Amino acid sequence: MNTTTKIIAATALAFSLAQAAPIDDIGALSVKGTQVVGANGEPAQLRGMSFFWNIAEEARDYWNANVVNWLAEDWHANLVRAAMAVEDNWGEGQKGYAYNQSGNQAMVEKVVDAAIAKGIYVIIDWHSHWTNDRSAKENGKDRWQLAQEFFTAMATKYGQYPNVIYEIYNEPGTDDWSQIKPYAEYIIPIIRAIDPDNLILVGTPKHSGDLTPVVSSPLSSNYSSNVAYVFHFYASEEWHLTNYLPAAKSAMNTLPLFISECGLTPASGNGTINYSMVNTFWDWLDQTKLSWAAWSIVNKDETSAALQKSASASGNWSENDLRESGKWFRNKLREQNPEWTPITGEGPKPSSSSSKQGGSSGSKGKDSSDKSSAITEFHNATGFHFTGNTISVNLKGMSRVDLLDLQGRIISTLWNGNASGNTVLSVQAKPGLYLVRIQGAGFHETHKVTVK
Ligand code: MG
């Protein structure tokens, strides 16, 4: 039900994706050997921020499109992680998915929709420590069944978007991989039956710290297509440096890894930051090109929290709104991730002037298109309009319209010749995300569209 469209480079004469949003630059993720790669086969190193537990008072207000947009635009994050509580019941208004499925799922969708509209990657994180243990019920419900319901909904809604990464189990509390593996073998085929290709992250023993048991018994080829294993570290924790890091280094010889959570602090999330240890970890990340998401977007009084209490729930944070971890990660991300041209969000009939203003309206538009399943429209200088797999556009004189994949390869040429005004073109392609490039005398523009 989504039509996203944007201008990548209205003025450039030569078509180039250099300024494209991360999703257009890197494209669909897959696993090649031991490396997560982008659509061009090159290592894809994503870097960004994890949200804190969605049910926490100090965190939940940040779960919105304005914060996603701010993290993308100001921090240059190309990855966010939606850490959804599952088994937790912290009191009224603070209950995880087992106690409030629709409420928690809606919070996740808000973040995912915003990330898609913004053109960045998003991890849908089953933020649990206990799901492997099926003997324990949660609010009377079977834990695996809960995970099945959630990931079925997510894969159905988002499987077509290359932005989306499924993390099926954040940090297993058990040391025993043989207790985690059956859960992975249960959930992965459920996702794959709906979404054959998006990246899946599998949590590992000892709170995703110890890769050694996985090395000797990885998932078989029936389960491991586009699957990476999770490694979490907290850089100021001595044990993580001296034990988990060497094990991860050695595991990398055979396993693809993904750092879906990491921090500067000790493992508790609080305590003194040791920057010499931090540098050791980040030097390693730079060498290995592993992707990472940092813990976390929350204004709690602890050193891993990125934000001060003063940080607004709509972004626009000043340096004073950031805690030590927040300042460090913002600097790191701005230093390492390229800036890209802000994209327009989705939205029903935005005026042409608002079409130039970044993505802050993204989620609003998405919400309304969801409700009505109606047409999402977009207008700009050429009156470009895409709905029902049909383009209408004002072309004058010699013009050319091409349909491209997200790597910029021409799938088909929809128009090439003289035109005089409104031109209607039918798009025939497999469902998915594409770019429509329009070239004519004195203009050149590109829109992202979803073919259904
Ligand atoms: Mg897919």
Side-chain angles (χ1 to χ4, degrees):
M1 295 305 123
N2 308 287
T3 301
T4 54
T5 128
K6 68 173 187 166
I7 300 170
I8 287 176
T11 51
L13 281 176
F15 180 68
S16 159
L17 288 176
Q19 290 183 302
I23 190 66
D24 302 328
D25 191 33
I26 298 167
L29 303 171
S30 63
V31 173
K32 206 194 232 175
T34 59
Q35 191 82 51
V36 175
V37 299
N40 61 5
E42 297 297 316
Q45 188 176 24
L46 309 180
R47 308 178 188 93
M49 294 302 297
S50 178
F51 285 85
F52 192 83
W53 302 80
N54 66 312
I55 57 172
E57 280 175 3
E58 306 93 332
R60 60 191 177 204
D61 291 348
Y62 296 110
W63 283 58
N64 67 62
N66 288 331
V67 169
V68 171
N69 290 337
W70 185 252
L71 290 171
E73 289 172 16
D74 183 66
W75 291 42
H76 300 185
N78 57 24
L79 172 69
V80 290
R81 175 177 185 244
M84 184 191 73
V86 178
E87 292 103 344
D88 306 83
N89 180 355
W90 300 350
E92 214 37 60
Q94 298 189 81
K95 297 180 187 213
Y97 182 81
Y99 298 85
N100 177 1
Q101 293 186 221
S102 60
N104 281 274
Q105 186 176 316
M107 288 185 78
V108 170
E109 290 180 357
K110 228 186 200 185
V111 167
V112 175
D113 290 348
I116 291 171
K118 196 66 191 161
I120 65 173
Y121 293 84
V122 55
I123 299 172
I124 297 176
D125 167 27
W126 185 256
H127 205 70
S128 162
H129 299 306
W130 306 287
T131 297
N132 62 281
D133 182 5
R134 205 175 184 176
S135 68
K137 299 275 185 273
E138 218 55 65
N139 193 25
K141 296 172 186 167
D142 173 62
R143 288 172 170 174
W144 294 19
Q145 177 66 30
L146 285 168
Q148 172 167 354
E149 287 170 23
F150 178 70
F151 284 108
T152 296
M154 293 295 98
T156 303
K157 185 158 187 190
Y158 296 119
Q160 67 166 308
Y161 293 98
N163 314 63
V164 169
I165 299 167
Y166 310 103
E167 182 172 14
I168 61 171
Y169 194 173
N170 158 48
E171 291 189 348
T174 175
D175 297 357
D176 186 353
W177 170 237
S178 75
Q179 292 182 17
I180 303 163
K181 198 177 175 186
Y183 165 74
E185 291 171 341
Y186 178 82
I187 289 296
I188 290 170
I190 286 163
I191 296 173
R192 285 292 176 245
I194 303 163
D195 175 2
D197 48 16
N198 282 37
L199 187 65
I200 295 177
L201 307 179
V202 177
T204 55
K206 298 186 186 173
H207 297 93
S208 292
D210 184 10
L211 273 300
T212 304
V214 185
V215 170
S216 52
S217 177
L219 292 164
S220 75
S221 58
N222 290 341
Y223 304 100
S224 57
S225 170
N226 290 346
V227 163
Y229 297 91
V230 171
F231 178 53
H232 288 178
F233 67 81
Y234 280 80
S236 298
E237 187 73 35
E238 193 82 33
W239 183 258
H240 290 195
L241 182 72
T242 55
N243 290 68
Y244 289 168
L245 181 58
K249 284 180 177 172
S250 147
M252 285 191 72
N253 293 322
T254 54
L255 303 178
L257 303 188
F258 197 107
I259 321 282
S260 59
E261 186 181 312
C262 57
L264 305 181
T265 65
S268 66
N270 202 6
T272 307
I273 296 171
N274 178 326
Y275 283 101
S276 145
M277 288 158 74
V278 165
N279 289 334
T280 304
F281 275 99
W282 260 269
D283 288 347
W284 174 64
L285 292 177
D286 293 343
Q287 285 157 21
T288 53
K289 298 205 185 305
L290 289 170
S291 296
W292 54 269
W295 190 258
S296 67
I297 297 299
V298 66
N299 67 26
K300 226 179 151 185
D301 186 18
E302 60 181 29
T303 52
S304 66
L307 306 177
Q308 302 282 5
K309 295 275 180 226
S310 62
S312 152
S314 46
N316 281 311
W317 304 321
S318 74
E319 190 86 357
N320 291 338
D321 294 322
L322 307 183
R323 296 178 62 99
E324 185 177 351
S325 278
K327 288 176 191 167
W328 194 91
F329 282 119
R330 178 175 178 268
N331 288 337
K332 193 74 178 169
L333 291 167
R334 287 176 66 92
E335 178 190 310
Q336 296 200 314
N337 282 351
E339 192 170 14
W340 69 92
T341 308
I343 65 170
T344 55
E346 306 167 314
K349 298 189 180 178
S351 69
S352 62
S353 58
S354 74
S355 73
K356 303 277 196 244
Q357 302 202 353
S360 58
S361 66
S363 89
K364 282 181 218 139
K366 182 70 184 324
D367 288 346
S368 43
S369 73
D370 273 351
K371 272 187 210 108
S372 58
S373 84
I375 317 149
T376 313
E377 297 178 6
F378 181 88
H379 293 282
N380 69 6
T382 62
F384 178 85
H385 178 155
F386 181 83
T387 183
N389 289 1
T390 301
I391 292 166
S392 90
V393 58
N394 277 312
L395 301 174
K396 291 197 180 69
M398 281 304 291
S399 314
R400 177 170 172 151
V401 180
D402 292 307
L403 184 74
L404 300 97
D405 67 18
L406 292 184
Q407 283 67 54
R409 293 175 293 231
I410 295 177
I411 303 297
S412 61
T413 297
L414 304 171
W415 180 267
N416 190 5
N418 240 315
S420 55
N422 192 47
T423 306
V424 175
L425 304 166
S426 164
V427 176
Q428 273 156 13
K430 282 194 310 189
L433 291 170
Y434 295 88
L435 305 172
V436 174
R437 179 178 62 188
I438 305 166
Q439 297 170 96
F443 71 92
H444 178 127
E445 59 187 42
T446 305
H447 304 268
K448 188 159 73 174
V449 298
T450 302
V451 173
K452 285 177 269 186

